[in-house]
Amino acid sequence: MEKKPLAETAIDRMEKVFGEHREYRRAHARGVIYEAVFSANGLGTMYTTAPHLQGGEVKALARFSHSSPDPTWTDVMSPVKGLAVQFLLPDGGITNIVGVNSPIFLAKTPEAFTKILGVVTSFKKGKPRLRELAKLLIKYPESRAAIKIVQKMHAPASFATGRYHSIHAFYFIDKDGNRLPIKYEWEPDAGVETLTPKDAGSLPFGYYEWEIEDRLQKEPVSFRLNIVIGGEEDPTDDPTVAWPEERHKLTVGTLKILPKPAPEADERKFDPTVVTEGIECSEDQILHFRKAAYSISEERRNSEK
Ligand code: HEM
């Protein structure tokens, strides 16, 4: 029998752990999508030829999401929130930046991620194999940092007050072909604001979607796009390791979310490996694995409509 591609096994396991929710994304199932405008301030031209970072405006789509693959989980059960941005380039092409409000990920390799999901599956079946989980953490000690962050994480007070990280590194390529390792951060103009677990506990289901819509009717919602410039010793292939806080950051533009929901665009896929000229993906195996995983999720959810 032919062996299944690993990405398919990973998605199967995600469905097993969190349930199969037809027509929904297999992760970040519940969310809301808006039209947006990105204005580049021109500083990006020093490091990249990417068209949307040269100065001027481009249209974009921005999807805020709760990370759970189960759309029935309450807002608080997913302290990890997402902001996926698709830039609509003047030549008709697209380029994406997909972020979450954690600076690091759980696993360094697709194999480790899929194995970890295998263990969690046994939890769901009511047979917690704690010993195996402990063994996995010994085998993949790099997962500890992300587990600790998520355990201690406070949810943002609003989709508008999260700081969203690309986690993975990318390379910016300038007009002379020089390559610069960078990571992205969306910094909220409203300031980072989080909720205490007590306040979060009292929120009704769907609060974040309602709150962002209400906020957009009253005031602008925007995020600065920062690039964090990697140092010589900063890993570009390891999403479980954060780069030091003191790394130089440069704001290259601002994303303004428009008070215009775009539900017709919700079926779009935000594949983080879709980049335009002047940008290259790093060697990070998880980043490349996401391409296949997101396609499988897209195929499944579309085939169920
Ligand atoms: C093994 C690694 C990962 C797997 C297998 C995975 C899987 C998935 C899948 C299946 C989807 C739904 C795709 C769709 O149907 O369009 C998704 C969405 C998403 N993932 Fe991941 N993911 C991984 C890592 C990450 C990382 C490191 C981040 C951090 C930035 C991330 C952030 C997101 C966000 C924000 C969305 C929602 C995108 C949207 O709004 O359409 N994921 N993920």
Side-chain angles (χ1 to χ4, degrees):
M1 210 169 69
E2 221 173 270
K3 211 173 157 225
K4 262 193 195 176
L6 191 60
E8 213 171 315
T9 306
I11 300 288
D12 287 349
R13 288 189 180 174
M14 286 163 84
E15 288 181 353
K16 218 168 168 187
V17 176
F18 297 96
E20 209 189 307
H21 303 282
R22 296 177 66 78
E23 300 186 26
Y24 283 94
R25 284 167 171 73
R26 268 37 181 184
H28 293 254
R30 184 155 60 90
V32 62
I33 185 164
Y34 283 95
E35 289 184 21
V37 174
F38 180 75
S39 312
N41 60 17
L43 293 179
T45 50
M46 280 193 284
Y47 300 118
T48 173
T49 56
H52 59 303
L53 300 176
Q54 300 305 298
E57 290 190 346
V58 292
K59 288 185 178 169
L61 291 162
R63 182 173 183 269
F64 296 99
S65 58
H66 307 275
S67 58
S68 176
D70 182 343
T72 68
W73 277 24
T74 64
D75 299 22
V76 204
M77 284 167 81
S78 301
V80 177
K81 310 289 181 203
L83 170 57
V85 178
Q86 188 157 98
F87 300 86
L88 309 173
L89 303 176
D91 70 355
I94 55 165
T95 185
N96 297 329
I97 299 178
V98 185
V100 289
N101 59 327
S102 161
I104 55 173
F105 188 60
L106 181 75
K108 186 179 175 183
T109 63
E111 290 75 17
F113 176 77
T114 311
K115 272 227 165 112
I116 289 169
L117 274 176
V119 170
V120 182
T121 304
S122 65
F123 264 86
K124 195 68 182 177
K125 279 188 202 151
K127 290 182 207 151
R129 293 189 300 202
L130 281 171
R131 269 185 151 180
E132 252 183 62
L133 184 64
K135 263 193 222 157
L136 266 179
L137 285 177
I138 291 168
K139 200 164 174 205
Y140 305 108
E142 66 274 13
S143 300
R144 276 167 199 247
I147 290 173
K148 262 194 186 159
I149 285 189
V150 173
Q151 276 174 340
K152 284 197 202 147
M153 185 180 258
H154 289 181
S158 156
F159 280 140
T161 65
R163 180 189 291 120
Y164 300 92
H165 306 260
S166 67
I167 298 188
H168 308 290
F170 293 82
Y171 292 104
F172 270 6
I173 319 292
D174 72 12
K175 60 180 182 345
D176 301 316
N178 298 307
R179 298 167 95 227
L180 182 76
I182 61 105
K183 288 188 179 187
Y184 298 106
E185 254 179 36
W186 289 109
E187 188 72 34
D189 281 331
V192 172
E193 202 190 328
T194 53
L195 291 175
T196 62
K198 191 169 167 249
D199 287 342
S202 61
L203 295 182
F205 182 92
Y207 169 81
Y208 283 76
E209 289 89 323
W210 170 83
E211 193 276 345
I212 192 87
E213 179 58 28
D214 186 56
R215 188 184 282 251
L216 280 164
Q217 299 304 325
K218 293 182 189 146
E219 63 190 50
V221 172
S222 54
F223 295 84
R224 295 187 299 286
L225 177 60
N226 290 336
I227 55 162
V228 184
I229 300 179
E232 290 260 303
E233 63 279 24
D234 296 338
T236 49
D237 64 348
D238 191 347
T240 66
V241 175
W243 288 354
E245 248 317 296
E246 62 273 15
R247 286 292 171 262
H248 183 60
K249 289 181 190 175
L250 180 73
T251 301
V252 293
T254 300
L255 182 77
K256 189 171 176 225
I257 313 292
L258 301 176
K260 290 185 185 168
E264 69 289 349
D266 193 48
E267 65 183 33
R268 287 190 184 221
K269 177 179 62 177
F270 292 81
D271 172 348
T273 68
V274 173
V275 294
T276 184
E277 64 150 306
I279 305 172
E280 271 177 21
C281 291
S282 64
E283 312 75 10
D284 186 327
Q285 292 179 54
I286 292 283
L287 172 60
H288 293 278
F289 186 63
R290 289 173 68 186
K291 186 176 198 63
Y294 288 35
S295 291
I296 295 166
S297 170
E298 183 190 36
E299 268 166 34
R300 291 191 189 179
R301 60 184 164 89
N302 282 346
S303 72
E304 292 157 355
K305 284 191 174 138

